[in-house]
Amino acid sequence: AAERDIDVPVIAAACRSMMKREHDEKDYEVIVPLELLARAEETKRIFNIVLGSIAGISLLVGGIGIMNVMLATVTERTREIGIRRALGAKRKHIVTQFLVETMVLSGAGGVVGVGQDAVVGAVLDGVGAWRERGLHGGLGAQLELGARS
């Protein structure tokens, strides 16, 4: 028996070697849970890297989209900017106005996104709970909800 985690791969390799020597054809399989766990962790790490990359690209695309919207807004509002300048507004005031509008737009989009994520997550968790109990939406879901209330 392995007393430490370090011993497990060594013992597994010895078992595989012995089985290979004793069997002419490979009619066996040596399964080591520690190796399966290591593979699962590696897969999880790669999955996290991929998702992080996708999130970064999404943020970049979102930023470019907001930049284009604000550019179009400034272009369309040249008359308003001219009137504000004629009434004494400085460049700093106008830039501040557009930056505040951009931050509000971005913040509101973020809040809506987080809200949608919470709702979709709750719905999917509910669907998963119904499936664990053998209920598959429809009448089963309604019965489950009625039983809980």
Side-chain angles (χ1 to χ4, degrees):
E3 295 179 10
R4 300 173 296 177
D5 286 347
I6 290 177
D7 296 337
V8 173
V10 174
I11 294 171
C15 287
R16 286 186 182 107
S17 171
M18 181 187 71
M19 294 296 284
K20 191 174 188 179
R21 249 190 344 259
E22 299 295 326
H23 289 256
D24 292 334
E25 52 182 89
K26 190 171 180 185
D27 55 353
Y28 63 90
E29 187 171 354
V30 178
I31 299 174
V32 182
L34 198 60
E35 291 174 351
L36 296 175
L37 183 62
R39 278 191 220 139
E41 287 176 356
E42 178 66 16
T43 302
K44 181 181 173 188
R45 188 182 68 77
I46 291 170
F47 192 67
N48 285 341
I49 290 170
V50 168
L51 284 179
S53 300
I54 291 171
I57 292 168
S58 298
L59 285 172
L60 178 67
V61 169
I64 291 170
I66 290 173
M67 179 185 66
N68 285 334
V69 167
M70 294 315 295
L71 178 64
T73 300
V74 170
T75 304
E76 291 173 359
R77 293 169 66 182
T78 51
R79 184 170 178 208
E80 175 191 340
I81 293 169
I83 292 171
R84 288 194 66 206
R85 290 293 300 245
L87 294 174
K90 293 189 168 66
R91 178 181 170 95
K92 178 177 80 171
H93 297 128
I94 295 169
V95 168
T96 302
Q97 174 189 345
F98 280 100
L99 285 175
V100 168
E101 287 178 9
T102 302
M103 290 189 302
V104 168
L105 179 67
S106 300
V111 168
V112 169
V114 169
Q116 285 177 343
D117 180 49
V119 169
V120 169
V123 168
L124 292 179
D125 281 346
V127 169
W130 294 330
R131 288 197 177 150
E132 287 173 7
R133 293 185 179 93
L135 303 173
H136 298 285
L139 179 60
Q142 292 173 359
L143 292 173
E144 177 67 14
L145 289 174
R148 286 186 178 188
S149 39

